[in-house]
Amino acid sequence: MDPSFDLPDSTDWLNTPLSLLAPLESSLRCQVCKDFFNNPVITSCSHTFCSLCIRRCLSKEGKCPACRTSDQELKLRRNWAVQEFVEAFTNARPGVLDLAKKAARGDVGLEQPASKKRKVEHGEDRESDSVGADGVRTRSRSRRLDPQPETGIVEAVEDSQDEDFIPEDGLVACPICNKRMKNEAVFRHLDACTGSASPNKSRNLGPLQVSQTSRSPGNNTTEKPPGRLPTLNYSILKEGVLRRKLRDLGIPDWGAKQLLQKRHTEWMNLWNANCDSKTPKSMKDLLRELDIWERTQGGHAAAASAFAPPSVMRKEFDKEAWSATHDDDFKRLIAKARKKSEEQVRTTIPKMEELPSESSKAAADGPVTNGDKPESPRLPSAFLGPAEVASNSAPSLGPSPNPEM
Amino acid sequence: MKEHLPPGIAIAKSENLEEWQMDIQVLDDNPLYRGQTYRLKFTFGSKYPIEPPEVQFIQSAAPDPRPIPIHPHIYSNGIICLDLLSSAGWSPVQTVESVCMSIQSMLTANSRDERPPGDADFVSYNRRRPRDINFFYDDDNV
């Protein structure tokens, strides 16, 4: 990595007295995007991912990326505890890391664990006094140089995210029922609290009011998006109907059906992931994200295909475009096949359909040297040997597959 | 990350987000790989990590020799037959590090001094990228 990208990473803790925070930080990061969980949700198999990450995975494969259990996006549930944990951690991170690095260099004479503990206690003691004082600190990742202000920041952060933003009344809210009470009363109350107010709802609405801390400024009055988008069965939808649906959703409706499908899936994932957010983004922000997708992976991504060849493995792979682009190669191959064996003539079959049969034929005939055919559909037969081609869809690709690897 | 990789794995090149190169070594005493360093090239598409990166060994001559390791799943042009690099076997939770470790252990565990069957043929006509080859394999069977 270019040293100018100073991205926070769990390994930042290694070589400091707080190296044990490296695994802690790792566990707060999504295994798919490797960043801190963003709107974490939990799967049926109890794995947690960013809402958007797991939705993208599920819409591609329908399986949990961690354990490969089948799952559906409908079954995803928000994981607030993890969300709060991430927020608290990322807020505390710059200060704590800074201290840890100083300690590693020997600048700070403090014993790190002790000073950290003291800081937390200190924060709790003064919690009620400082509510609202710095209540709207945003999550900043900038390095703080002076350890003293850290204490203040850590406190402020805890306050701003746990409670409704009600300044200086000296009270704190029960995290379950949101009832406000004196600081000392909270723990006693918690033992008895039945969570009368629907806990999800109150967690959900509370922070909406402090959306100054979110990444979408000016959005704090926006209502939550009305509802989640259902998955569509694209195979039963006619292109025109799908196009109209996209238009109704307010997203671009140009392109062939495959592209419409992909765009709809991406939009559904963006939208539904946004529904999982405590601080939902505006439609405008989502459209901007869809536009980024369009330019990198969607209909405007043509330029990128030099790097990433058309994803022929995707279900919605555009057969027509592929056949058109490689028409010459296919023709050459067909000509060759005809020469080799008269009964292989299949001019009436559409070219894409012909590929599998061509290659299994080739497999039956034994490996064929194809010279310089860059697009040779016979590759797999020689690549794998006839036995593997005949055997059915084993996931491993090796000549003698070893699933361990 | 770069200072904290597992033993035998090092970043050789990571200037951009499209292609990385990694050096790997087999650390045990396997005579097939002892004392050698091999270079892996990772090519990341725009759909990474939802879709797998392309991973293959690349060769270079002295002064920094990087041969293609001998292995019954590794073709002499560097293309690797490994389940987890295919679309079906890939999972987005994999990382460059985990892929390197898998390949490292794939080498460690091997005792056969041979290339895959059909290596010469495959190497002579293959101009495709690994993921396209896998595609045709999948396509034949599905």
Side-chain angles (χ1 to χ4, degrees), chain A residues 46-344:
Chain A
S46 306
H47 291 106
T48 296
F49 302 95
C50 301
S51 183
L52 185 55
C53 292
I54 186 65
R55 284 170 195 283
R56 282 175 171 159
C57 292
L58 290 178
S59 60
K60 173 153 193 284
E61 273 216 295
K63 285 184 196 151
C64 168
C67 66
R68 296 187 188 282
T69 310
S70 297
D71 204 359
Q72 295 166 304
E73 61 128 30
L74 275 175
K75 296 189 180 154
L76 299 173
R77 290 294 173 266
R78 286 176 274 213
N79 197 339
W80 290 125
V82 169
Q83 169 125 17
E84 282 160 17
F85 197 175
V86 166
E87 282 171 15
F89 185 85
T90 50
N91 279 321
R93 187 182 196 279
V96 179
L97 182 60
D98 205 52
L99 268 181
K101 283 187 169 165
K102 281 190 175 157
R105 291 193 303 265
D107 298 358
V108 178
L110 299 172
E111 264 184 32
Q112 287 308 309
S115 80
K116 196 167 157 262
K117 189 150 179 267
R118 178 149 33 91
K119 194 162 70 179
V120 171
E121 281 164 2
H122 187 50
E124 278 168 5
D125 288 346
R126 287 183 29 192
E127 193 171 21
S128 53
D129 303 333
S130 65
V131 170
D134 299 278
V136 288
R137 294 268 185 184
T138 51
R139 269 205 254 173
S140 164
R141 290 200 171 157
S142 61
R143 294 276 155 77
R144 323 265 163 182
L145 293 173
D146 181 359
Q148 242 0 72
E150 294 320 325
T151 321
I153 284 159
V154 171
E155 290 161 13
V157 149
E158 281 191 76
D159 296 334
S160 71
Q161 67 177 14
D162 268 353
E163 324 301 347
D164 289 328
F165 181 39
I166 299 178
E168 279 156 16
D169 64 353
L171 300 178
V172 293
C174 164
I176 299 173
C177 69
N178 245 12
K179 193 174 151 206
R180 299 186 69 77
M181 62 197 72
K182 286 210 171 125
N183 193 25
E184 313 84 74
V186 172
F187 288 103
R188 220 174 327 123
H189 165 81
L190 270 179
D191 292 338
C193 180
T194 53
S196 54
S198 130
N200 262 355
K201 212 166 174 200
S202 54
R203 297 311 294 142
N204 201 353
L205 294 176
L208 263 180
Q209 292 152 23
V210 277
S211 62
Q212 310 281 34
T213 54
S214 81
R215 289 139 299 159
S216 51
N219 191 27
N220 39 353
T221 52
T222 317
E223 291 282 305
K224 251 182 113 68
R228 289 164 189 273
L229 297 178
T231 45
L232 297 179
N233 184 346
Y234 299 119
S235 57
I236 60 164
L237 281 180
K238 289 230 169 64
E239 182 170 327
V241 181
L242 183 56
R243 197 179 303 280
R244 202 167 335 118
K245 276 196 186 296
L246 265 62
R247 207 176 310 136
D248 292 345
L249 289 168
I251 60 177
D253 65 350
W254 54 273
K257 191 180 174 193
Q258 258 84 24
L259 181 60
L260 297 178
Q261 266 175 239
K262 281 205 276 181
R263 192 184 295 127
H264 180 269
T265 302
E266 179 66 12
W267 180 249
M268 186 179 65
N269 290 338
L270 287 168
W271 182 275
N272 290 348
N274 194 44
C275 291
D276 288 330
S277 175
K278 277 162 71 174
T279 53
K281 299 173 193 171
S282 66
M283 173 100 176
K284 211 170 116 202
D285 288 336
L286 291 182
L287 282 172
R288 203 170 304 132
E289 284 173 25
L290 184 68
D291 186 55
I292 292 171
W293 172 87
E294 197 77 61
R295 277 180 279 128
T296 53
Q297 301 180 38
H300 290 314
S305 65
F307 270 123
S311 177
V312 287
M313 281 172 283
R314 287 186 76 97
K315 281 197 206 85
E316 60 272 41
F317 167 64
D318 186 348
K319 291 181 184 178
E320 285 71 29
W322 181 263
S323 322
T325 324
H326 300 289
D327 198 33
D328 281 355
D329 293 314
F330 294 145
K331 286 201 176 116
R332 239 182 321 155
L333 287 163
I334 291 165
K336 211 165 185 170
R338 276 192 202 138
K339 237 184 279 169
K340 188 161 164 28
S341 159
E342 277 305 312
E343 69 270 30
Q344 273 183 256

